Every structure is written in structure tokens, then in C-alpha cells.
């Protein structure tokens, strides 16, 4: 079993590599070697198997063929720039999120041809609920049509189509997982418009102030980083015959209002933590968030074995445990 993780220095990529290192196996087979790649060299901890960490720009034309030359059995494609950046820099968004992904698919197809049709890796692609656009039904199912309203969502939707076509043609065995917003995002605050969903928990838990730019009634679709890694591993191991031609699916999550998020914080860390949330309405963020979907029907993914937390409190507990957050009594 040889694996390739592209985007291995990112928030989810790092956690995926850590988990693979801990498990030492994938698809019930020991991991023989792992190739961890990102635009900045990933630096994972100890592994029981050889791991090669390299810095490569997926958008550079010579990179994708190099990455699949060793014919990895499972490829995780996570490399991407975020929605805000893809909106601000049109060229960069298409170069990385679309052309970089396409180059990887093409490089796999080339190896498929060179191998006489024998090489056919599992490719797990991290898509997003940004492939959908308003107006939305009450709960968005997998049958809802793709009408992205951002360049990022458009790039993800195009790669979903490519994944389906390359799978249909037999060049690879693809699974696209549309991730909910992954909360609580550890580390420093990022510039994503959705950043406050994590910030209002992460910062108060660290004794710091956090800004809340929207109303408490705003509802959003969340899952923990732990669940995101679980989705990736399940997508790498599942029987894809059950997917048919529909290779991408919306992952399960928790629809929670900001008020419910704050209540979970109150339950775990008390009023003192909640008081660190500063309400600072921001009309730009409010407008962006109003266009986002908030609730999904992920029954297709659930019936295929994907699972996530059931309540927002469980999401918060996963963060407290996984990041070893110390809460003063
Ligand atoms: N975190 C979320 O809430 C969320 C939600 C939906 C979808 N996703 C998707 O999941 C994936 C991982 O998300 P994340 O939160 O870990 O993001 P992240 O930004 O932390 O990680 C993405 C990684 O991709 C790398 N990358 C960017 N351009 C690259 C290039 N040209 N070549 C090589 N590497 C490059 C970045 O350096 C970064 O380490 C992404 O594809 C993202 O679009 C994430």
C-alpha cells in the first residue's frame, strides 16, 4: 500500500498524515510508503513507515507526473486555495484548484495507459458545499443541482465532473467528498469569511477575545477535523460500486446556529469564556454568510457508511480532546 497526500501541510492534510502514521495501515494493508506533498514541505511526526515529504507547486506543469510516477494506490487530493483567495485572484484560483487538479488526473491517466490499463488508483478529492448556490430548499440533498456562486465553488464543481468522467472511463476510482465547514479549526485565525465560526470557540477557550460579525440566529453546517479525517479514510476504503456514476457526495454534519455554538461553549467553559465574544456586526460578512447553505440531507453519504458528530457539543468536545485544550475550572 503506497499513499500520496497532496496538500499534506494544510489543516486537514496534517491531521490525515498524523492518523495514517498512527494507524500504520490503510485498506487493511500495512502502509509501505507515504509521499506527503505541499507547496511548503510538510513536517509530520514519527511514522512506522518511510515517508517522503516534499515541497511542490501542483500548478507547475512538471509536478503532477512526478507525483504519480511511483504509482501510489491511494491519492488524497486536498491542495487548494480557499474561497476568499480564489475570488480575489481569479488566475491563481483556476491555476491551482482547477488546472492543478486536472494535471493530477491527467498524470494518473498517463500511468494507466503506460501500465496497459492495470494502474487504477483510488483518488479521494475534497470538494465543498460551495458547489451549491442559492436559492436553496430547506435541506439540500445530493440531487440538488450544482450552481456555484463563487469561482472556488465553480472550480470544485468542475473537478467533481472530471472525477466522475475519469472514473467512468476507468482511468481511476474517484470519490469526491463535499466537506461541511470544518470546526473548530485549530491554530491561528485565518482570513476566510467563515473563520469566525471557529474563532468564537477557539479564542475564548484560549482566554482571548473573539469577534462575532453575524447574528446569533445564523445557522451553518459543521463537522470536526476528526470527522473530516474519518471521511477521507472511509472514502479511501469504501466499495465504490455503490456510488454508481455519482462519484461526489455531501458529507454528514451538524446544522447549528451561532447561539447553539455559544451554548456549547457555555456548557464546557462557562460564562467567563462566553463574555470574551465581542459582537461586532459586519455587513459584508453578514451578506456573504446569508448566501451560504445551512442545512443538508446527507442520507446518501450516511447510507454508504460516512458518519459525523450528531450535536455541536460533540464537535466542541472533539476539539478540546484532540487539541488538548485545558479549561480552568
Ligand atoms: N476546512 C474546511 O472547512 C473545508 C471545507 C470544504 C472543503 N475543504 C477543502 O478541503 C481541503 C483541505 O482543506 P484545509 O482546511 O486543510 O485547507 P488548508 O488551506 O489548510 O490546506 C490546503 C493546503 O493546500 C496547499 N496548497 C495550496 N496551493 C498548493 C499548490 N499549488 N501546490 C501544492 N499545495 C498547495 C496549501 O499550502 C495548504 O497546505 C481543501 O481542498 C479545501 O478546499 C475544506
Amino acid at each position: 500500500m503506497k499513499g500520496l497526500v497532496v496538500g499534506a501541510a494544510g489543516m486537514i492534510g496534517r491531521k490525515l498524515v498524523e492518523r495514517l502514521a498512527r494507524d500504520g495501515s490503510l485498506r487493511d494493508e500495512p502502509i509501505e510508503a507515504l509521499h506527503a506533498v505541499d507547496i511548503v514541505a510538510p513536517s509530520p511526526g514519527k511514522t512506522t513507515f518511510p515517508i517522503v515529504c516534499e515541497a511542490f507547486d501542483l500548478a507547475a506543469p512538471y509536478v503532477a507526473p512526478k507525483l504519480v510516477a511511483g504509482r501510489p494506490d491511494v491519492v488524497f487530493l486536498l491542495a487548494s486555495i480557499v474561497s476568499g483567495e480564489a475570488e480575489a485572484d481569479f488566475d491563481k484560483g483556476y491555476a491551482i484548484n482547477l488546472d492543478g487538479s486536472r494535471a493530477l488526473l491527467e498524470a494518473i491517466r498517463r500511468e494507466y495507459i503506460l501500465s496497459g490499463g492495470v494502474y487504477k488508483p483510488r483518488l479521494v478529492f475534497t470538494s465543498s458545499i460551495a458547489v451549491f448556490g442559492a436559492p436553496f430548499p430547506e435541506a439540500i440533498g445530493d440531487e440538488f443541482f450544482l450552481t456555484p456562486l463563487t469561482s472556488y465553488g465553480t472550480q470544485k464543481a468542475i473537478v467533481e465532473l472530471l472525477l466522475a468522467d475519469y472514473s467512468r472511463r476507468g482511468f481511476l476510482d474517484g470519490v469526491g467528498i463535499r466537506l461541511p465547514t470544518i470546526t473548530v479549526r485549530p491554530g491561528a485565525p485565518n482570513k476566510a469569511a467563515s473563520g469566525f465560526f471557529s474563532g468564537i470557540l477557539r479564542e475564548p477557550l484560549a482566554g482571548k477575545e473573539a469577534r462575532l460579525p453575524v447574528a446569533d440566529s445564523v445557522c451553518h453546517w459543521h463537522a470536526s477535523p476528526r470527522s473530516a479525517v474519518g471521511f477521507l479514510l472511509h472514502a479511501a476504503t469504501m466499495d465504490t460500486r455503490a456510488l454508481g456514476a455519482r462519484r461526489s457526495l455531501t458529507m454528514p454534519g451538524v446544522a447549528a446556529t451561532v447561539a447553539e455554538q455559544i451554548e456549547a461553549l457555555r456548557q464546557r467553559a462557562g460564562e467567563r469564556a462566553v463574555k470574551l465574544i465581542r459582537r461586532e456586526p459586519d455587513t459584508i460578512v453578514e451578506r456573504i454568510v446569508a448566501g451560504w447553505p445551512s442545512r443538508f440531507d446527507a442520507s446518501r453519504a450516511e447510507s454508504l457508511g460516512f458518519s459525523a458528530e450528531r450535536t455541536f457539543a460533540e464537535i466542541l468536545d472533539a476539539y478540546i480532546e484532540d487539541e488538548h485544550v485545558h479549561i480552568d475550572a
Side-chain angles (χ1 to χ4, degrees):
M1 164 60 55
K2 288 189 285 185
L4 166 66
V5 181
V6 189
M11 187 265 284
I12 300 171
R14 264 200 316 264
K15 287 184 176 288
L16 172 66
V17 172
E18 266 170 31
R19 172 73 189 272
L20 291 172
R22 219 168 44 236
D23 292 355
S25 65
L26 184 60
R27 290 169 141 185
D28 295 328
E29 283 179 61
I31 299 173
E32 206 181 295
L34 190 70
H35 194 181
V37 174
D38 200 294
I39 206 154
V40 289
S43 48
K46 267 214 195 118
T47 56
T48 51
F49 47 79
I51 178 161
V52 176
C53 298
E54 290 184 297
F56 279 121
D57 178 357
L58 183 63
Y62 64 93
V63 166
K66 239 177 151 63
L67 300 185
V68 291
R71 297 190 182 164
D73 304 290
V74 177
V75 178
F76 295 96
L77 172 53
L78 294 104
S80 168
I81 59 167
V82 297
S83 154
E85 197 175 358
E87 208 57 24
D89 192 334
F90 187 88
D91 293 311
K92 190 174 176 187
Y94 275 86
I96 297 172
N97 297 355
L98 175 57
D99 301 339
S101 302
R102 170 97 202 271
L104 194 66
L105 268 67
E106 264 305 286
I108 291 172
R109 188 173 73 95
R110 209 182 64 150
E111 288 301 325
Y112 165 87
I113 294 167
L114 288 174
S115 72
V118 173
Y119 178 61
K120 184 179 175 178
R122 175 68 52 89
L123 175 62
V124 180
F125 167 64
T126 46
S127 189
S128 161
I129 51 180
V131 296
F132 300 113
F136 297 119
E138 174 62 23
I140 303 163
D142 274 353
E143 286 73 32
F144 192 61
F145 63 119
L146 307 191
T147 324
L149 297 177
T150 57
S151 293
Y152 169 84
T154 305
Q155 291 143 14
K156 293 286 189 189
I158 296 171
V159 178
E160 282 194 10
L161 287 175
L162 292 173
L163 193 73
D165 199 35
Y166 278 62
S167 298
R168 185 183 63 81
R169 298 293 298 259
F171 308 139
L172 49 81
D173 185 14
V175 185
I177 54 172
R178 297 185 193 119
L179 297 178
T181 288
I182 302 304
T183 315
V184 178
R185 190 181 174 92
N190 71 359
K191 290 203 177 93
S194 59
F196 69 88
F197 288 119
S198 285
I200 56 169
L201 305 164
R202 184 188 56 233
E203 305 308 319
L205 283 172
K208 296 181 194 159
E209 274 201 350
R211 254 184 74 239
L212 173 59
V214 302
D216 288 32
S217 56
V218 164
C219 187
H220 198 64
W221 189 244
H222 303 272
S224 71
R226 191 193 283 181
S227 287
V229 171
F231 300 152
L232 286 162
L233 294 179
H234 186 63
T237 50
M238 69 184 288
D239 182 348
T240 49
R241 282 173 303 186
L243 287 174
R246 298 179 180 185
R247 290 277 165 167
S248 292
L249 59 174
T250 301
M251 292 294 105
V254 176
T257 61
V258 167
E260 286 165 334
Q261 289 190 268
I262 294 175
E263 188 48 36
L265 177 67
R266 182 177 287 112
Q267 297 289 325
R268 295 294 177 275
E271 203 53 40
R272 200 164 48 166
V274 172
K275 283 209 171 103
L276 290 167
I277 300 172
R278 224 175 47 231
R279 285 178 170 71
E280 269 182 28
D282 178 328
T283 48
I284 296 174
V285 178
E286 276 170 339
R287 211 174 39 240
I288 295 173
V289 173
W292 286 346
S294 56
R295 201 176 287 275
F296 290 82
D297 171 4
S299 47
R300 181 164 179 251
E302 281 168 343
S303 72
L304 290 167
F306 290 93
S307 65
E309 291 80 12
R310 294 270 162 206
T311 64
F312 198 84
E314 285 177 52
I315 291 182
L316 190 58
D317 287 345
Y319 174 71
I320 292 169
E321 276 172 41
D322 291 351
E323 302 303 322
H324 310 292
V325 176
H326 173 75
I327 298 173
D328 289 327

